[in-house]
Amino acid sequence: MEKDEIHLRRLPAAAPWGPRKSGAEDTGSEFHGVDFLPEDLNEAPEETGMRVNKKYSCLPAEEKGIHIINIRAIEDIGYDQHESTLLNSLSKNPDADCKYGLYFRDGKRKVDYILVYHYKKSSAGKTLTRRVHHNDSSARSTKQDQPLPGKGVQLEMGESEPHVDYHEDDKRFRREEYEGNLVEAGLELERDEDTKIHGIGFVKIHAPWNVLCREAEFLKLKMPTKKMYQINQTHGLLKKINSVIQKITEPIQPKVAEHKPQTVKRLSYPFSREKQHLFDLSDRDSFFDSKTRSTIVYEILKRTTCTKAKYSMGKGEGRKKETTLLNKRRKCGKYGITSLLANGVYSAAYPLHDGDYEGENVEPNDRKLLCEEWASYGVFYKYQPIDLVRKYFGEKIGLYFAWLGVYTQMLIPASIVGIIVFLYGCATVDENIPSMEMCDQRNNITMCPLCDRTCSYWKMSSACATARASHLFDNPATVFFSVFMALWAATFMEHWKRKQMRLNYRWDLTGFEEEEDHPRAEYEAKVLEKSLRKEHKHKETDKEKLTWKDRFPAYLTNFVGIIFMVGLTFAIVFGVIIYRISTAAALAISSTPSGRSSVRVTVTATAVIINLVVIIILDEVYGCIARWLTQIEVPKTDKNFEERLIFKAFLLKFVNAYTPIFYVAFFKGRFVGRPGDYVYIFHSFRMEECAPGGCLMELCIQLSIIMLGKQLIQNNLFEIGIPKMKKFIRYMKLKRRRSLDHEEHMKKKQRYEVDYNLEPFAGLTPEYMEMIIQFGFVTLFVASFPLAPLFALLNNIIEIRLDAKKFVTELRRPVAVRAKDIGIWYNILRGIGKLAVIINAFVISFTSDFIPRLVYLYMYSENGTMHGFVNHTLSSFNVSDFQAGTAPNDPMDLGYEVQICRYKDYREPPWSENKYDISKDFWAVLAARLAFVIVFQNLVMFMSDFVDWIIPDIPKDISQQIHKEKVLMVEVFMREEQGKLQMLETWKDKDKKKGENCNNHSPRLSRSHSGSLSSCHSYPLDV
């Protein structure tokens, strides 16, 4: 037999792939898939062999009653009909024995991971009943000698060769080698192609105990030891307060064992095979939970490589097995599971869910418990079972939901204060003197036209409603609320750091350090391409890696692409501005008084809706562009890829979401000019002006509609609607198949088939991004919209349960990833918190009328009140100074001739020597605004840093517990060392006594028992 040949033999049902357990009895001769064992086979000359990868080892030669068959690949297995043995034949109700896919067919070994692949199946039937040739003398001609699909169809010598798909053939060879390497790594495999999903094969993977122990030691997994210790409890008044709080909050606690307060904790230590006696191994089946088992298997899958490249199976030159490229790939190119997934060798890889979450007679499992106590809208008022979430999904996802829970809890006090500020504005609106003056028709203030020609003069009292509404958000309480929210953001960050440390202690992550991840498939491919280019130029290719020179075109593309996307956002906002200006001019021509009176409201509302639609569309576009820009950079590891993707996506989405709001807050009405000398766009459109009550009300409308619209449409409807739609499409496809194959679809699906139909997990980036953008709405412009925390709170109550339901019922189970923090998102949150202080300072000083009112009250008011403030902020204009062609077409619209109109600005009157120049009042107000920004920013930043400094990052009780764990661990090892020393002393004493007994023998006796004497001296060596 050639070097790379082995024999595959038909195995009994009780022996799937992997090491055969000693003492296992054969239950029958039925064949269940193809089973492999990591044993070497002896040559069997009387039986016909078949070439496959030598990594696949089979049963020992001593196994009796074995029939060796010709085999090219698993898809082409054929059997002699006289044997009556069919592929994947089933015993009596085998699905129930293996708990419908949760276990191997023996019903004992748990399925820890699933690999899925596509294969080409015979259209004549599900089971291939090909006759097998036993006279094949050449291993190389095996593929040629395989019969076509059909019932007993046999190819005669000399017939034409069937069509071979070389691409599929290459994938099959890679799978063979990779799965053989997995078997060598100690994993046990079992294949299933007899499924309800046509053309889809599943490879079930089980990690035996010795592999789990080995990998747990490599990964330095902290596991609970036998040693238990008491957790420090509070005493005195604090204990009574805690007990009262526990009784009050008992109805809102989830009914899961993991959520109950613990009084004792097991001491944890990195697993070691040499120190197995330290750990509680009484129940080996549950020592490593399903989350840990899948993590271990995934690490092996990433580490195990497949170096086999394309095989050419044609004639002549096409039959060459290896080329220079293949040789080079064998030296440099390694295909782990990520590469194999990227190349389509496997179509999916995932761990299994624990079982069904709904239906009758469903066995209790963690998934069902999570669905009842967490992923249900009926328990929205309860705390999250974070420990159970971590146990099922891993630390990274557990930290996300813990962070979301802390954020939602912290929104409660912010919402309460925001409601109080809003109610204060409602209560004092009738006492606000500036708005009362604007609504007083006796003042008879005539305002200048809002647009050229078509717009006429108007009364200030017509803007009464806007002025009164502005006071709801533009009052002294909003300044206090801005300071409060800045301190709230700092407190939230500190509270989360403390909560994170508590979770790290509870989840045994203290001292955990992330190790460098495996290189990504794309990175390895680029390195391979670079090394091949150098090989072609006869250069050294050892230890190749991508440098900045290799990535320079990608960096340049990133820079140009991001600048272009930001410019596109600005262009769209500019287009909306043009729409607002032109629509306002068009509506002003309306002959109906009601149409003219509602111009501002109509324009604002429609423009904001346009902005919202554009933001939602561009959000999806920018997400795809950010991913593409990150992919062309070819980051080395998944962590680098994720961080770069987050940075780009956040930058683009931040600009997209906040650019319209920044325009209204800081640019609208700033560059208008004055009557007779307005600033024009394209020489025809006048720049927009703020309402007499200021732009803060419009900013509030813009912020509220965009925030609520994004949450309602993008976050909730998309997250609910799209999965439901995909589920409905899958249901319709299955319904169509059922009509074609009723019997097949009456069978209950295996667990891995059900999970394959779920959506793959796409990472936590979209979930975090959604909340980070919301955090920006809550903090950045909170001075203009105090109700933002309330709407965020209501959204998050739904969002938690929505995300939970998605993770439990809609997504495949993600691979558990260990993490001790939320990564780069924490730095983004801190940056937004700092930026919020600056933006709120500018909103209060430049967008609202808070500073002009203070200046008027303390510098210009005659009686110390706000009477006369409105008149003070308005300048006068002589209508005779209008530029030609800009005066109103109907100057008598108000019923009288207008000589002087008013506009909002600080300028000299027309009767002054320097008419229409900026007045001294403008400079006084500007100085006050800048002074307020400096004072507010520094004061609030100092207070935030003070909060950061005064609250320790690590709670005192947690630091004490961590120290206690270290002391206890030292004690455990000291006792172990003392025990070893005592044992050695005991052995030495025994050895000494035996030595004395030997020396006390007579010489004759000693000579006669020389063997005994030598055995005495060799005793320590035996020990």
Side-chain angles (χ1 to χ4, degrees):
M1 193 165 62
E2 290 185 14
K3 186 178 179 181
D4 58 348
E5 292 181 11
I6 65 163
H7 289 276
L8 286 180
R9 304 173 182 244
R10 181 161 56 86
L11 306 182
W17 294 354
R20 186 179 181 88
K21 295 181 181 179
S22 59
E25 295 181 359
D26 294 344
T27 58
S29 62
E30 293 173 330
F31 186 77
H32 294 262
V34 176
D35 298 23
F36 296 103
L37 289 175
E39 305 279 350
D40 290 327
L41 282 179
N42 295 325
E43 191 85 7
E46 70 278 6
E47 296 175 330
T48 305
M50 174 61 204
R51 288 166 52 92
V52 292
N53 193 316
K54 65 180 180 180
K55 303 291 184 185
Y56 290 89
S57 303
C58 306
L59 276 176
E62 299 87 63
E63 185 74 43
K64 302 300 181 184
I66 293 176
H67 179 67
I68 298 183
I69 61 173
N70 264 339
I71 176 169
R72 176 63 177 175
I74 188 67
E75 289 86 307
D76 299 323
I77 295 181
Y79 300 92
D80 193 354
Q81 288 183 342
H82 298 294
E83 294 290 328
S84 301
T85 307
L86 298 178
L87 177 67
N88 289 323
S89 60
L90 301 176
S91 61
K92 185 178 178 182
N93 195 14
D95 290 345
D97 296 338
C98 65
K99 297 189 178 179
Y100 296 98
L102 287 173
Y103 288 81
F104 277 20
R105 294 183 190 221
D106 57 11
K108 297 177 181 178
R109 289 173 292 174
K110 187 177 177 63
V111 176
D112 298 319
Y113 218 87
I114 291 291
L115 299 179
V116 188
Y117 60 91
H118 290 271
Y119 68 94
K120 299 218 170 168
K121 199 160 194 179
S122 169
S123 59
K126 283 186 64 65
T127 306
L128 299 179
T129 55
R130 302 176 184 172
R131 284 189 179 275
V132 182
H133 286 275
H134 296 278
N135 56 354
D136 183 16
S137 59
S138 172
R140 297 194 179 202
S141 62
T142 307
K143 187 71 184 180
Q144 184 177 352
D145 293 337
Q146 284 292 339
L148 292 170
K151 295 184 179 180
V153 178
Q154 185 169 353
L155 282 181
E156 299 297 335
M157 295 300 290
E159 290 188 14
S160 61
E161 182 183 289
H163 173 70
V164 178
D165 187 340
Y166 301 125
H167 188 60
E168 290 298 320
D169 200 46
D170 173 51
K171 288 182 180 179
R172 183 170 64 247
F173 267 92
R174 290 193 192 182
R175 285 198 296 270
E176 287 174 1
E177 184 193 3
Y178 184 69
E179 290 163 14
N181 291 341
L182 292 179
V183 172
E184 280 190 352
L187 297 178
E188 298 175 4
L189 312 180
E190 185 178 80
R191 190 189 299 275
D192 184 11
E193 291 180 359
D194 184 21
T195 64
K196 293 174 70 176
I197 308 174
H198 291 276
I200 300 291
F202 296 90
V203 177
K204 295 174 276 186
I205 302 177
H206 168 76
W209 172 256
N210 60 327
V211 174
L212 292 172
C213 293
R214 182 190 72 207
E215 297 298 321
E217 185 172 349
F218 290 166
L219 295 174
K220 300 176 183 177
L221 295 180
K222 275 192 172 183
M223 304 301 294
T225 62
K226 297 175 184 176
K227 176 71 175 177
M228 301 181 72
Y229 67 95
Q230 195 82 15
I231 296 176
N232 292 338
Q233 300 293 321
T234 54
H235 301 285
L237 182 62
L238 284 176
K239 186 176 181 180
K240 293 180 180 178
I241 294 172
N242 287 338
S243 63
V244 171
I245 292 173
Q246 285 180 5
K247 288 180 181 178
I248 294 173
T249 59
E250 189 174 356
I252 60 175
Q253 300 289 348
K255 297 177 182 178
V256 296
E258 284 80 2
H259 200 76
K260 293 178 181 178
Q262 296 178 340
T263 56
V264 293
K265 186 178 183 293
R266 285 189 179 275
L267 194 64
S268 295
Y269 185 73
F271 188 82
S272 172
R273 286 171 290 181
E274 293 180 356
K275 300 184 182 299
Q276 286 193 29
H277 58 277
L278 294 177
F279 302 94
D280 184 10
L281 303 180
S282 55
D283 185 5
R284 289 190 172 188
D285 291 337
S286 62
F287 183 73
F288 295 106
D289 57 16
S290 60
K291 177 248 318 177
T292 307
R293 296 175 72 98
S294 63
T295 303
I296 288 173
V297 173
Y298 183 64
E299 287 296 323
I300 298 175
L301 292 177
K302 286 197 298 183
R303 191 176 68 232
T304 305
T305 57
C306 163
T307 57
K308 197 170 279 186
K310 289 188 177 180
Y311 279 75
S312 182
M313 304 303 296
K315 294 182 179 180
E317 293 183 2
R319 294 182 65 90
K320 290 181 181 178
K321 265 190 174 183
E322 297 177 0
T323 63
T324 306
L325 174 63
L326 301 189
N327 285 327
K328 192 63 189 175
R329 284 190 175 182
R330 283 196 168 93
K331 292 176 185 175
C332 305
K334 293 184 179 180
Y335 297 85
I337 187 61
T338 52
S339 303
L340 295 175
L341 287 170
N343 294 331
V345 177
Y346 292 102
S347 57
Y350 51 88
L352 292 179
H353 280 292
D354 278 358
D356 291 326
Y357 59 90
E358 60 183 358
E360 298 179 359
N361 302 323
V362 175
E363 293 185 5
N365 57 70
D366 287 342
R367 188 187 187 194
K368 186 173 184 292
L369 187 59
L370 281 171
C371 190
E372 293 171 352
E373 293 294 328
W374 182 52
S376 172
Y377 295 110
V379 294
F380 72 92
Y381 59 91
K382 288 188 176 183
Y383 285 103
Q384 298 183 84
I386 293 297
D387 291 324
L388 185 59
V389 174
R390 173 254 178 180
K391 177 186 173 186
Y392 193 79
F393 291 110
E395 286 80 7
K396 193 170 186 177
I397 293 175
L399 282 172
Y400 163 70
F401 281 102
W403 173 84
L404 185 56
V406 169
Y407 172 47
T408 304
Q409 288 176 7
M410 288 294 291
L411 283 172
I412 296 174
S415 302
I416 293 171
V417 176
I419 293 171
I420 292 172
V421 169
F422 178 74
L423 293 176
Y424 170 81
C426 295
T428 58
V429 68
D430 292 329
E431 302 171 6
N432 183 38
I433 296 174
S435 61
M436 290 170 61
E437 287 184 348
M438 290 181 65
C439 295
D440 190 356
Q441 296 185 2
R442 294 174 297 176
N443 289 335
N444 197 27
I445 299 176
T446 303
M447 303 297 292
C448 294
L450 295 174
C451 62
D452 293 343
R453 295 187 301 278
T454 55
C455 299
S456 185
Y457 305 106
W458 54 287
K459 291 280 190 181
M460 174 169 271
S461 56
S462 65
C464 175
T466 307
R468 289 172 65 86
S470 295
H471 179 72
L472 300 178
F473 306 101
D474 188 5
N475 56 67
T478 56
V479 181
F480 158 76
F481 190 55
S482 298
V483 177
F484 170 81
M485 287 303 294
L487 298 178
W488 173 88
T491 307
F492 163 60
M493 300 304 295
E494 289 304 309
H495 178 46
W496 166 244
K497 279 198 288 189
R498 291 169 64 84
K499 176 71 173 179
Q500 194 170 254
M501 282 304 304
R502 288 188 181 278
L503 293 176
N504 284 343
Y505 164 71
R506 215 157 70 203
W507 296 347
D508 298 321
L509 291 172
T510 52
F512 167 70
E513 295 295 337
E514 292 186 11
E515 297 178 358
E516 188 175 352
D517 204 355
H518 298 276
R520 296 172 61 248
E522 293 82 356
Y523 180 85
E524 289 184 336
K526 280 286 183 184
V527 171
L528 174 61
E529 185 182 336
K530 181 180 178 182
S531 62
L532 289 175
R533 284 199 308 267
K534 286 198 172 183
E535 177 75 12
H536 183 67
K537 296 177 182 179
H538 305 288
K539 294 182 179 180
E540 291 296 327
T541 59
D542 293 339
K543 297 181 181 179
E544 283 295 333
K545 63 180 182 179
L546 297 184
T547 62
W548 69 270
K549 292 180 180 178
D550 301 316
R551 291 193 173 104
F552 181 75
Y555 290 152
L556 185 61
T557 306
N558 271 261
F559 178 76
V560 174
I562 290 173
I563 294 296
F564 175 76
M565 292 299 115
V566 172
L568 177 64
T569 304
F570 289 162
I572 291 173
V573 172
F574 184 73
V576 174
I577 294 169
I578 300 297
Y579 162 81
R580 293 159 69 115
I581 296 169
S582 57
T583 306
L587 291 176
I589 306 174
S590 174
S591 57
T592 59
S594 60
R596 289 197 298 270
S597 63
S598 61
V599 168
R600 194 178 293 276
V601 176
T602 305
V603 169
T604 301
T606 55
V608 171
I609 291 172
I610 292 171
N611 273 327
L612 174 62
V613 173
V614 170
I615 286 171
I616 291 174
I617 294 172
L618 286 183
D619 256 2
E620 302 301 320
V621 174
Y622 286 169
C624 298
I625 290 174
R627 179 168 290 277
W628 177 75
L629 290 174
T630 309
Q631 285 173 348
I632 64 174
E633 280 189 57
V634 197
K636 184 175 181 180
T637 63
D638 286 329
K639 184 180 179 182
N640 291 342
F641 181 88
E642 186 181 22
E643 288 181 351
R644 296 186 186 194
L645 173 62
I646 289 169
F647 175 75
K648 293 181 185 67
F650 173 73
L651 179 62
L652 292 174
K653 293 188 176 187
F654 182 89
V655 172
N656 181 41
Y658 297 115
T659 300
I661 301 171
F662 269 94
Y663 164 72
V664 174
F666 302 123
F667 296 99
K668 186 177 178 182
R670 308 291 170 193
F671 312 102
V672 177
R674 61 171 179 81
D677 188 21
Y678 283 113
V679 177
Y680 291 90
I681 302 175
F682 305 134
H683 304 288
S684 55
F685 296 109
R686 244 174 64 183
M687 288 293 291
E688 292 183 283
E689 297 182 47
C690 287
C695 279
L696 196 69
M697 186 62 199
E698 191 171 342
L699 176 61
C700 174
I701 294 171
Q702 184 105 0
L703 185 66
S704 58
I705 292 180
I706 290 177
M707 178 182 175
L708 296 178
K710 270 181 66 68
Q711 290 182 349
L712 183 65
I713 298 172
Q714 191 176 22
N715 299 351
N716 294 334
L717 288 185
F718 281 13
E719 288 190 15
I720 296 173
I722 291 177
K724 294 289 182 188
M725 187 172 66
K726 289 180 178 179
K727 204 171 184 180
F728 177 74
I729 292 170
R730 287 197 297 266
Y731 169 75
M732 294 303 293
K733 286 181 179 178
L734 289 173
K735 195 175 181 183
R736 231 180 270 122
R737 286 181 184 173
R738 285 195 186 105
S739 61
L740 298 174
D741 195 356
H742 180 71
E743 255 182 56
E744 179 69 20
H745 286 274
M746 287 301 291
K747 292 194 304 182
K748 184 176 178 180
K749 278 189 176 183
Q750 302 289 326
R751 177 80 263 151
Y752 42 86
E753 294 178 78
V754 176
D755 287 3
Y756 177 71
N757 288 325
L758 298 177
E759 287 294 309
F761 175 62
L764 289 170
T765 300
E767 315 299 335
Y768 272 115
M769 189 69 69
E770 178 186 326
M771 290 295 105
I772 295 296
I773 295 294
Q774 185 203 82
F775 182 77
F777 282 121
V778 168
T779 55
L780 292 179
F781 296 94
V782 74
S784 62
F785 190 41
L787 295 179
L790 174 64
F791 290 116
L793 173 64
L794 297 176
N795 174 79
N796 287 6
I797 291 173
I798 301 171
E799 182 72 24
I800 289 175
R801 307 303 163 180
L802 183 64
D803 285 348
K805 199 171 186 66
K806 182 171 70 175
F807 273 82
V808 173
T809 65
E810 302 289 343
L811 298 179
R812 292 176 193 161
R813 188 173 183 178
V815 179
V817 178
R818 287 190 297 169
K820 61 187 300 183
D821 52 39
I822 59 174
I824 193 175
W825 296 110
Y826 182 80
N827 297 328
I828 292 175
L829 285 169
R830 283 189 68 88
I832 291 176
K834 300 293 184 185
L835 185 62
V837 176
I838 301 170
I839 289 178
N840 281 305
F842 277 96
V843 167
I844 293 169
S845 60
F846 284 92
T847 309
S848 75
D849 281 339
F850 178 73
I851 299 301
R853 286 173 187 166
L854 286 181
V855 172
Y856 176 79
L857 187 64
Y858 293 107
M859 291 181 64
Y860 299 104
S861 177
E862 296 177 355
N863 52 7
T865 64
M866 293 301 296
H867 287 289
F869 171 73
V870 174
N871 187 61
H872 176 75
T873 58
L874 298 176
S875 299
S876 301
F877 178 75
N878 193 332
V879 297
S880 60
D881 293 331
F882 271 122
Q883 289 181 351
T886 60
N889 295 333
D890 185 11
M892 299 295 292
D893 186 54
L894 294 178
Y896 57 88
E897 186 179 359
V898 178
Q899 298 292 331
I900 299 292
C901 66
R902 310 294 296 276
Y903 62 98
K904 189 170 183 179
D905 205 348
Y906 292 102
R907 290 184 179 270
E908 298 289 345
W911 52 83
S912 173
E913 293 181 3
N914 303 315
K915 64 178 183 178
Y916 308 133
D917 285 351
I918 293 174
S919 64
K920 294 180 181 179
D921 298 341
F922 171 84
W923 299 111
V925 171
L926 179 62
R929 282 173 165 165
L930 293 174
F932 176 83
V933 168
I934 295 170
V935 172
F936 181 89
Q937 175 186 332
N938 286 282
L939 179 63
V940 174
M941 288 247 186
F942 170 76
M943 294 170 70
S944 300
D945 291 341
F946 180 74
V947 169
D948 190 359
W949 173 76
I950 202 172
I951 301 176
D953 293 345
I954 305 176
K956 187 177 180 181
D957 59 326
I958 296 300
S959 61
Q960 290 175 349
Q961 299 291 354
I962 293 172
H963 178 70
K964 186 176 182 180
E965 276 195 353
K966 291 179 180 177
V967 172
L968 288 172
M969 187 54 66
V970 170
E971 289 180 1
V972 167
F973 284 121
M974 290 298 293
R975 287 176 185 173
E976 186 180 357
E977 290 298 321
Q978 288 174 0
K980 287 180 181 178
L981 289 173
Q982 288 176 359
M983 275 179 118
L984 286 173
E985 290 294 332
T986 305
W987 288 347
K988 285 181 179 178
D989 290 344
K990 287 182 179 179
D991 183 49
K992 189 175 180 182
K993 288 178 181 178
K994 287 193 175 185
E996 289 176 355
N997 292 335
C998 290
N999 291 332
N1000 289 334
H1001 288 320
S1002 63
R1004 181 178 55 82
L1005 194 62
S1006 298
R1007 282 192 299 272
S1008 65
H1009 295 296
S1010 58
S1012 300
L1013 187 61
S1014 61
S1015 66
C1016 290
H1017 290 293
S1018 65
Y1019 176 76
L1021 295 176
D1022 294 339
V1023 173

